[in-house]
Amino acid sequence: MILSNAHDAAQSRPVILMRPGEANNRLADQLEALSDNVWRWPAFRIELPQETDLITEHLSNLDDVEMVVLPSPAAVTAVAHWVREWPEHITLATVGEGTALVIRAAWGDKVKLIYPEGDAEHSGSEALWPIVQAHGAPSRVLFLRGQTGREWLPEQFRSIGSDVVVLCAYVRMPLELDAQEFRRLQLAVAGPSPVVYITSTDAVDVLMHAVRPVAGARDWITSGVAVAIHPRIEKRLKEAGFSQIEFTSTDDETVKAHILKHLGH
């Protein structure tokens, strides 16, 4: 949105979209047909790590690997940089249906894949684990994720005797507002509170950090509605100051309908 329209846009309820990756742009494109005040604030920008020798070495020879865990769409996008096709003996695993769809889009329907079915509330490492147990303990597991991540799932694999290798496949660069976005925020804090679509616990901290230079911005944002995809985000949202917290899925149409409800559509 250009600055000449910023004051007008501040009078309508802003929608802040914080999902990383192309999914955020896809949702924004749909909402912009119905609202003039959609903010594209992905919590993280995804980049390949500066040092890639180790991951290149591991992905160039997968003979002794039985399972590869890709916990997020960002991991899939990054790993697709190195892998055009998975060997037939490899089983991929992920923590939810949304990432499973991204995996299918990247490598086709024939790739072996296990994941918990259902909406975001029924996803996560804990939901994947019984499926892994039913599948059987792999001798060697490759975890491909960002520079940080939960250790619970790797620890579960180690507890059943799997050899686990955890590698950084991508680096998350947190949201930083530019001068135009700061100006938009300064104008908006005097108007209606926002609807914030947020898809991770880390994104809550990123948002609070990004808006800290603008007086009143934190209170303005937390007086709005937080639309999250998983109950585990709720605790952090409450700690940040949100009191209106709702849950949705990662499906574009479902999210769009949920957000539009708060815009009077």
Side-chain angles (χ1 to χ4, degrees):
M1 186 179 299
I2 60 175
L3 279 175
S4 60
N5 291 334
H7 184 269
D8 291 341
Q11 305 311 305
S12 60
R13 188 168 203 180
V15 176
I16 301 175
L17 303 178
M18 298 198 67
R19 186 176 184 183
E22 188 54 37
N24 209 52
N25 290 326
R26 188 173 63 240
L27 179 59
D29 288 342
Q30 295 180 38
L31 287 170
E32 283 172 350
L34 301 164
S35 170
D36 63 352
N37 207 5
V38 177
W39 302 9
R40 302 182 189 217
W41 283 13
F44 300 99
R45 187 177 74 254
I46 305 303
E47 296 184 358
L48 296 180
Q50 289 187 341
E51 298 295 329
T52 60
D53 290 350
L54 186 60
I55 190 169
T56 300
E57 178 185 346
H58 278 277
L59 290 176
S60 63
N61 185 0
L62 295 164
D63 291 348
D64 61 347
V65 175
E66 288 188 26
M67 183 173 289
V68 175
V69 180
L70 298 162
S72 68
V76 177
T77 301
V79 172
H81 173 79
W82 288 280
V83 179
R84 296 289 184 89
E85 185 177 353
W86 292 100
E88 289 187 7
H89 72 277
I90 294 284
T91 297
L92 302 183
T94 192
V95 298
E97 202 166 78
T99 305
L101 291 172
V102 179
I103 288 172
R104 294 293 189 202
W107 294 297
D109 293 334
K110 292 184 179 180
V111 67
K112 297 175 185 175
L113 176 61
I114 60 172
Y115 61 95
E117 297 183 2
D119 59 22
E121 187 173 352
H122 299 96
S123 66
S125 298
E126 289 82 357
L128 172 62
W129 186 241
I131 301 171
V132 170
Q133 291 177 302
H135 180 270
S139 61
R140 197 171 205 212
V141 183
L142 199 57
F143 270 79
L144 303 174
R145 66 185 192 190
Q147 66 269 49
T148 60
R150 291 181 68 200
E151 293 301 325
W152 186 86
L153 193 54
E155 289 171 358
Q156 299 310 302
F157 276 101
R158 293 186 183 105
S159 73
I160 60 173
S162 298
D163 178 26
V164 178
V165 178
V166 179
L167 294 175
C168 174
Y170 64 91
V171 176
R172 300 189 303 174
M173 306 299 292
L175 171 70
E176 292 185 4
L177 304 184
D178 60 25
Q180 182 173 338
E181 289 165 331
F182 274 124
R183 175 60 176 159
R184 181 193 297 177
L185 180 59
Q186 288 169 335
L187 292 169
V189 295
S193 61
V195 179
V196 185
Y197 176 49
I198 197 159
T199 58
S200 72
T201 301
D202 289 345
V204 181
D205 297 326
V206 167
L207 176 59
M208 296 300 107
H209 183 77
V211 305
R212 77 197 186 287
V214 177
R218 181 177 181 132
D219 289 343
W220 173 74
I221 284 176
T222 57
S223 69
V225 179
V227 179
I229 64 168
H230 199 284
R232 66 173 173 262
I233 305 173
E234 182 177 16
K235 179 182 178 182
R236 186 65 196 97
L237 287 166
K238 287 182 175 178
E239 290 171 348
F242 283 94
S243 59
Q244 299 181 71
I245 303 169
E246 300 177 1
F247 299 102
T248 187
S249 74
T250 55
D251 173 72
D252 285 355
E253 289 301 318
T254 304
V255 177
K256 182 174 73 172
H258 203 122
I259 291 172
L260 290 175
K261 176 184 68 175
H262 292 287
L263 302 182
H265 287 260

